[in-house]
Amino acid sequence: LDPVEKAVKHVMRAIRNCDAEDTEKALLLEIAPTALRTLVDDRHPCVSQVLGRVQQLLTEYASDAAEHARKVESLLADAHNARVLAAKALQTVEIQRIVNQSIVA
């Protein structure tokens, strides 16, 4: 694909995944492909407004995705820390068991 078509596909996918109302998504999905393929100077002012809304939605979508990624990273770090603590606890229990066996023997 040429770069413009690749960009159009990315924008369309992002519009489908963003948190807009279905009717707004339908409108944007209808207008955006042609508008994105049209040079800025050749666009009707209304189309430019629609693309401004697309830009706003995609900025919000990117921000939400980044926040979600931060939360996932934090949860993964917490899970890793919990595994480390559990491993240390098991190691401590095993050492205590060995010490107890040595005292009994």
Side-chain angles (χ1 to χ4, degrees):
L1 291 175
D2 71 75
V4 172
E5 290 305 311
K6 190 175 180 181
V8 169
K9 283 189 176 215
H10 285 295
V11 170
M12 300 305 286
R13 186 178 320 118
I15 290 171
R16 279 190 218 68
N17 293 329
C18 74
D19 285 334
E21 291 184 23
D22 289 342
T23 54
E24 184 178 26
K25 282 185 191 183
L27 172 69
L28 297 176
L29 291 169
E30 176 92 21
I31 295 173
T34 302
L36 291 167
R37 292 180 186 109
T38 304
L39 296 175
V40 173
D41 294 338
D42 295 338
R43 289 181 189 151
H44 188 278
C46 292
V47 173
S48 294
Q49 281 185 311
V50 169
L51 288 180
R53 177 62 180 143
V54 169
Q55 183 178 11
Q56 179 185 3
L57 281 172
L58 297 184
T59 299
E60 292 168 4
Y61 177 71
S63 177
D64 291 346
E67 179 63 26
H68 180 72
R70 281 190 294 276
K71 287 179 182 177
V72 167
E73 288 174 6
S74 176
L75 290 171
L76 289 173
D78 290 347
H80 173 74
N81 290 339
R83 282 192 300 273
V84 168
L85 289 173
K88 286 181 181 179
L90 286 173
Q91 186 179 25
T92 301
V93 167
E94 182 63 19
I95 291 170
Q96 186 64 43
R97 186 185 65 77
I98 292 169
V99 168
N100 288 343
Q101 285 178 349
S102 298
I103 293 173
V104 172

